[in-house]
């Protein structure tokens, strides 16, 4: 773990106020009930292979705003947590395939992004140290032979073209027993992955071409409601309100009336909750593409006027996204303020936690820290540079002898909320499996 | 993990020579085959609940000399490893009992040993952080009500008397669903634990009243042979030779001829292996009680003369042991030199690794460091004070880019050999379960 060699990580100064302290108190005092509840839920709906969850901590509210089932950013984790990742990976891989030895890791295609490749390299290392042979098979159509890319960290990644042989995929001289997807399949499920015999985790059907954020947050709403019933708290404290409206064309201003109406209604709903909890802040709404990652096509507005007065450039941005597909569906989500800051009061930077899980184990996380952004802006926006600040403690060390907002307890709270989002994803996964089973049943019947 | 706050841990200087480098090389280059082999073995014989393994590193040989299925010393682990322990505990507990919430931890009776109680407190913390309610139920017959003991660390442990209610054990106001034994039952299986409905892990039948070291090393011999066949290496490099002879009464010098004969034959066998591997050291044999822990009744001899010239005090010591039972069975084990040292060459202290596992996960370890002992003496002897030196890295981070005896790789090697010993214990456990099943079958048949 090389604990002694880590850079000292400064403490976070958070304006924790009112209701959140109540949540953190409850999470801490009810830890064993919470964990027992999670165990029962994971038995009903097993956790996805891995995931990362973006949280927002407003002091009065702690909630997930995005759940990624093909996470990048493993390189931002504290090196001291890698043994936890390795152990969790061992537990998960044993469950997936009893006899697995060879693992094929399928990455994103954008191989010019060195940050992404550093993450890929760390992920490969985790699987390797877990005791598997692991090689990287790229879906890039222009990749005809292996390509070795040197990374800033001094490591290198070797990409090799994926080959299909009958009902299996492989590399030239490497037949995997398990395929690990680290590609969110924004462009749709590639033919080469269809109907292959090897287990693919997570299943391609959970890629963004099949998945909607609104579907995720529908499940999250259910999960947060059940969880809050268990703890007898207001689910809103951990659950961002949301709405989705029909098809939208930002560029040509089609569907704008419907959008404006929904934004206004959502703002009103948030204001009601703010009034109820005596929160003296203007509500805001985040408009984001219902499918997709990487913070493209995302903006926050605090009034309908702000929405209607978007200029052409802003409209074009909302109409474009990764993969190039025209955006048509949008999610309207309650904006959650980021009141976690890092550094001095005068010069404080906004810090947003991202929590990583392998199986249902929370294995670490980091903060996105950005000095130039405000508390209601999105730190995972295109072209936006952030500094990763690794969690310097794990999320499984709650300590009742310390105050509810002491560091280990705040990290524990992050881990609980992130796992609620992961549980919502587990239910998406279960729905998806049911669909596949039904399809298979229909095919047999027809 | 509070990585930044850990004391810097000095490096170990080990005289690694000859064959071991070959072993370490092989372990590193064959890591994925080794891990696949372990996975297959754990499927056949699941790992015990937990365990600790004492290793000896002679440079030319790396071998286990004792395997404890009711480990103490958790307080000696690096605090940075506790999250690994917590995660492994979660994985194991989920497997044992799907609906478990309440855990009863049954400790050793010697409650005046504050070192032991510090370990107990750490173990309780691990189970608590894993998400269970956990209380400590003592089997001490003199304990009539709860007793709270303050510890040097500032923590405290609360012992409560165990109560039997029908086919269950409990505390006054606490009904556990799982019982975790941290008592090696040297004095025999207590009646209160017989035929209870709750799962007890590890089963009381693995206590020292039912278990023999020779049984363990018989299984270890098999495991080491299979493992070495996989890697095409000489099993002796990881396997201490051993013999057991019939009943022995040290005090009254009964059985001495047989003992002398066996010691001589074992010394001859070791000498042959030393010759084969060109090791220029006098062989020695460790004579130890075949049942029991805590290093009582143990001595090392390098000749039969040394054995025959024991004085009365030494004989009495060999005839006495923890729990007070007269010693009758002894194990003769090849002595493995300790050539790991800590500190300057002139003033180097002998250091012996102890590796901890929960389920089949290696979760950490420490070195017993003692300045006053020689390389062939036992550091876990009664009254012997040692300084614990926590491993400062985990054992699951092998790194092929470093040399085979670089620290992460030496820790990985420890973890492999310790798991081989744990696998031997898993086979003992399987034998034990078979016995119980047979007994149950016979009872039904009769």
């Amino acid at each position: 773990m090389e604990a002694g060699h880590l850079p000292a990580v400064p403490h976070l100064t958070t304006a924790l106020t009112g209701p959140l302290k109540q949540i953190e108190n409850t999470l801490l005092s009810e830890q064993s009930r919470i964990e027992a509840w999670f165990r029962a839920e994971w038995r009903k709906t097993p956790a996805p292979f891995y995931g990362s969850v973006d949280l927002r901590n407003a002091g009065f509210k702690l909630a997930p705003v995005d759940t990624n089932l093909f996470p990048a950013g493993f390189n931002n984790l504290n090196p001291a947590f890698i043994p936890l990742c390795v152990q969790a990976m061992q537990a998960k891989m044993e469950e997936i395939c009893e006899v697995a030895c060879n693992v094929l890791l399928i990455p994103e295609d954008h191989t010019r992004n060195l940050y992404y490749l550093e993450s890929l390299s760390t992920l490969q290392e985790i699987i390797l140290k877990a005791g598997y042979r692991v090689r990287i098979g790229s879906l890039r159509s222009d990749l005809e032979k292996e390509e070795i890319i040197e990374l800033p960290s001094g490591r290198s990644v070797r990409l090799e073209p994926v080959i299909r042989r009958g009902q299996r995929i492989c590399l030239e001289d490497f037949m995997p027993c398990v395929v690990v997807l680290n590609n969110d399949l924004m462009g749709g499920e590639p033919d080469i992955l269809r109907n292959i015999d090897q287990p693919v985790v997570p299943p391609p059907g959970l890629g963004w071409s099949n998945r909607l954020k609104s579907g995720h947050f529908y499940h999250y709403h259910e999960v947060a409601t059940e969880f809050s019933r268990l703890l007898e708290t207001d689910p809103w404290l951990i659950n961002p309100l949301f709405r989705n409206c029909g098809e939208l064309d930002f560029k040509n201003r089609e569907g704008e009336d419907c959008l404006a109406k929904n934004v206004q209604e959502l703002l009103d709903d948030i204001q009601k909750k703010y009034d109820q909890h005596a929160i003296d802040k203007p509500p805001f709404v985040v408009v984001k593409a219902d499918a997709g990652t990487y913070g493209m096509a995302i903006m926050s507005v605090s009034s309908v006027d702000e929405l209607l007065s978007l200029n052409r450039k802003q409209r074009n941005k909302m109409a474009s996204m990764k993969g190039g597909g025209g955006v048509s569906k949008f999610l309207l989500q309650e904006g959650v303020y980021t009141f976690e800051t890092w550094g001095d009061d005068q010069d404080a930077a906004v810090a947003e936690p991202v929590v990583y899980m392998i199986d249902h184990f929370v294995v670490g996380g980091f903060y996105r820290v950005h000095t130039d952004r405000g508390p209601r802006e999105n730190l995972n926006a295109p072209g936006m540079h952030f500094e990763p600040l690794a969690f310097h403690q794990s999320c499984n060390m709650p300590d009742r002898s310390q105050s509810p907002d002491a560091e280990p307890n705040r990290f524990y709270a992050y881990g609980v909320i992130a796992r609620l989002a992961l549980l919502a994803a587990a239910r998406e996964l279960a729905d998806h499996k049911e669909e596949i089973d039904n399809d298979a049943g229909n095919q047999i019947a027809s």
Side-chain angles (χ1 to χ4, degrees), chain A:
Chain A
M1 288 196 174
E2 302 208 324
H5 308 154
L6 288 171
V9 175
H11 288 200
L12 274 147
T13 51
T14 312
L16 281 174
T17 50
L20 186 58
K21 228 167 191 160
Q22 180 208 322
I23 300 182
E24 288 190 325
N25 246 321
T26 310
L27 296 186
L28 193 59
S29 62
E30 297 295 332
Q31 186 222 344
S32 57
R33 274 175 74 204
I34 291 169
E35 297 299 328
W37 181 83
F38 269 122
R39 289 193 291 271
E41 293 300 320
W42 298 131
R43 278 196 301 278
K44 283 187 265 177
T45 42
F49 185 72
Y50 49 15
S52 69
V53 174
D54 288 14
L55 299 177
R56 294 291 182 274
N57 190 352
F60 54 82
K61 179 164 189 160
L62 175 62
V65 297
D66 204 5
T67 301
N68 194 338
L69 295 179
F70 303 92
F74 283 101
N75 53 318
N76 294 330
L77 300 182
N78 191 329
F81 293 131
I82 300 298
L84 265 184
C85 298
V86 169
Q87 196 186 66
M89 185 61 77
Q90 288 172 328
K92 189 63 174 180
M93 291 293 285
E94 282 172 25
E95 182 194 303
I96 291 167
C97 182
E98 289 207 334
V99 293
C101 294
N102 291 355
V103 174
L104 186 68
L105 180 56
I106 297 189
E108 297 285 348
D109 295 345
H110 45 81
T111 45
R112 296 291 158 254
N113 182 336
L114 293 179
Y115 294 109
Y116 174 71
L117 293 176
E118 290 282 7
S119 169
L120 182 66
S121 180
T122 303
L123 179 58
Q124 182 178 26
E125 187 190 318
I126 290 167
I127 301 172
L128 179 76
K129 290 199 192 309
Y132 295 85
R133 288 189 196 90
V134 52
R135 284 163 67 174
I136 300 172
S138 173
L139 299 177
R140 266 172 52 199
S141 55
D142 64 326
L143 191 77
E144 287 177 357
K145 57 182 181 60
E146 70 160 33
E147 183 178 333
I148 292 170
I149 304 168
E150 303 294 331
L151 301 181
S153 62
R155 302 182 293 185
S156 64
V157 290
R158 183 166 68 147
L159 306 176
E160 298 175 83
V162 173
I163 299 165
R164 175 110 180 198
R165 283 193 185 132
Q167 299 300 96
R168 300 177 77 81
I169 58 170
C170 57
L171 303 179
E172 183 68 39
D173 58 348
F174 182 77
M175 182 55 76
C177 11
V178 172
V179 178
V180 172
L181 264 192
N182 195 247
N183 181 319
D184 63 15
L185 304 177
M186 196 61 226
E189 187 179 342
D191 287 341
I192 198 170
L193 294 184
R194 284 186 201 277
N195 303 318
I196 59 173
D197 287 343
Q198 293 127 315
V200 182
V201 287
L206 286 188
W208 279 122
S209 53
N210 282 320
R211 194 177 161 229
L212 291 177
K213 285 190 169 68
S214 52
H216 176 71
F217 282 100
Y218 167 78
H219 280 297
Y220 183 77
H221 172 79
E222 301 280 309
V223 167
T225 305
E226 295 162 28
F227 182 76
S228 300
R229 200 178 296 139
L230 176 81
L231 300 184
E232 297 175 0
T233 51
D234 181 352
W236 177 77
L237 298 176
I238 58 170
N239 187 21
L241 304 178
F242 74 96
R243 284 176 171 251
N244 51 2
C245 50
E247 302 277 305
L248 261 180
D249 184 341
F250 259 98
K251 214 165 169 179
N252 300 310
R253 309 191 72 150
E254 283 165 21
E256 205 168 65
D257 291 349
C258 170
L259 177 65
K261 181 173 158 287
N262 276 292
V263 165
Q264 188 56 56
E265 286 180 5
L266 189 49
L267 286 169
D268 293 346
D269 289 345
I270 303 167
Q271 186 62 58
K272 270 183 218 154
K273 295 304 294 184
Y274 276 21
D275 292 345
Q276 185 188 330
H277 289 283
I279 290 152
D280 185 22
K281 290 275 169 194
F284 68 102
V285 162
V286 176
V287 184
K288 51 172 114 171
D290 205 357
T293 52
Y294 281 76
M296 308 289 281
I298 185 163
M299 63 175 179
S300 63
V301 294
S302 52
S303 72
V304 169
D305 285 352
E306 207 178 324
L307 182 74
L308 297 178
S309 61
L310 288 179
N311 62 29
R312 172 149 297 275
K313 194 178 157 201
Q314 288 166 315
R315 286 179 192 284
N316 283 348
K317 192 185 126 198
M318 289 302 287
S320 72
M321 62 186 306
K322 185 196 164 207
V327 175
S328 52
K329 285 183 179 168
F330 280 85
L331 173 72
L332 309 182
Q333 190 176 51
E334 173 188 348
V336 182
Y337 282 97
T338 301
F339 285 155
E340 277 192 298
T341 55
W342 184 59
D344 297 335
D345 279 354
Q346 296 91 330
D347 195 25
V350 170
E352 294 175 349
V354 192
V355 178
Y356 282 72
M357 286 149 296
I358 294 176
D359 196 2
H360 59 279
F361 300 106
V362 181
V363 293
F366 69 93
Y367 291 92
R368 291 198 184 94
V369 179
H370 203 290
T371 44
D372 303 332
R373 307 299 295 271
R376 54 164 254 201
E377 287 172 283
N378 180 42
L379 298 195
N380 191 17
M384 281 304 142
H385 180 70
F386 62 83
E387 286 295 327
L389 176 70
F391 289 0
H392 80 289
Q393 295 197 344
S394 73
C395 298
N396 63 358
M397 293 289 281
D399 184 351
R400 287 177 218 182
S401 72
Q402 296 189 50
S403 76
D405 59 344
E407 285 191 25
N409 298 330
R410 193 185 311 152
F411 286 122
Y412 177 66
Y414 291 165
V416 171
I417 306 300
R419 279 183 289 164
L420 294 176
L422 191 74
L423 180 56
R427 293 183 182 182
E428 288 179 79
L429 181 61
D431 287 353
H432 171 70
K433 285 192 170 154
E434 204 172 296
E435 271 170 39
I436 288 181
D437 290 348
N438 287 345
D439 284 357
N442 291 341
Q443 277 176 15
I444 290 165
S446 67

